Amino acid sequence: METPAGEGEEKAEGSRQDFVDLLRRLDTARVDAPEAHVGEAAFFDAHPLGGIGLLAHPPTTIAFTVDVADRSFLNLSLMVHPDVHDRPGGGVEFVVRVEGEELLRETVDPKRQPEHRGWKDCSLDLGRFAGVGRTLELVTSSFPGDDNRFCPAGWGRIHLAAEPFAPAPSGAAVTRVPVRA
């Protein structure tokens, strides 16, 4: 069950992670991005499981301070909006870091690789980072190089929880969910 931001969201080390919706905590995050490149994006709600996405047009870094329990997963979905698949520009490289350690680097390039279209669901085990006040960074950059034309990158359903919702992000283990027509 969701709770409002700041009201008992995280549990202390040595416990199971309560649900923490990071989109609801965007106002507490440190955001390094050009103006209008970051925000809630209702147009990313086409994921079959629902939820509003977080628009993070590259180049963007969003840093959250979170408490991480022993049993904790970062669950998220990645995509580039389908309206730009036929537009110029590049793809997006998504990076997740916790305490400076890179846990995920995933390129989504639906303009050149049609198999990259749709949502890419990922679950990252954060248990080894258990503790209070951990820095979790979400980074988007254009791929290849700095061609960031028409790259509306989406972090969907981004939350901390005690259970994973997707396989680990390693090649075929990443779940691809097609975008609803």
Side-chain angles (χ1 to χ4, degrees):
M1 178 176 190
E2 288 185 37
T3 59
E7 293 182 16
E9 286 182 342
E10 293 95 1
K11 289 186 176 180
E13 184 176 356
S15 61
R16 289 174 51 92
Q17 184 73 55
D18 280 342
F19 183 90
V20 178
D21 183 341
L22 293 176
L23 184 59
R24 294 179 69 190
R25 297 186 57 190
L26 183 58
D27 63 337
T28 68
R30 178 183 50 80
V31 177
D32 180 14
E35 181 146 352
H37 278 219
V38 174
E40 290 185 22
F43 59 81
F44 281 111
D45 69 353
H47 192 286
L49 298 176
I52 292 177
L54 172 60
L55 171 67
H57 192 292
T60 294
T61 300
I62 304 168
F64 294 93
T65 300
V66 295
D67 294 344
V68 177
D70 288 331
R71 175 108 176 121
S72 182
F73 291 86
L74 173 63
N75 296 312
L76 52 91
S77 299
L78 313 173
M79 87 170 305
V80 173
H81 197 277
D83 286 352
V84 301
H85 291 172
D86 297 327
R87 304 295 299 263
V92 176
E93 188 168 67
F94 293 85
V95 174
V96 175
R97 291 189 294 250
V98 177
E99 292 296 298
E101 183 178 329
E102 188 173 296
L103 299 183
L104 172 74
R105 179 175 295 272
E106 192 70 37
T107 300
V108 178
D109 191 4
K111 296 174 185 179
R112 292 175 193 79
Q113 298 182 28
E115 67 275 13
H116 283 199
R117 295 177 181 180
W119 288 100
K120 183 180 279 192
D121 293 342
C122 305
S123 289
L124 305 172
D125 185 346
L126 302 185
R128 71 177 184 263
F129 298 101
V132 177
R134 303 300 188 211
T135 301
L136 184 150
E137 293 177 289
L138 307 175
V139 180
T140 58
S141 56
S142 52
F143 175 87
D146 58 1
D147 189 357
N148 69 349
R149 295 174 294 158
F150 302 102
C151 290
W155 298 90
R157 305 185 68 247
I158 184 159
H159 64 277
L160 299 177
E163 301 297 329
F165 77 11
S170 58
V174 174
T175 305
R176 281 225 178 261
V177 180
V179 175
R180 287 185 285 188

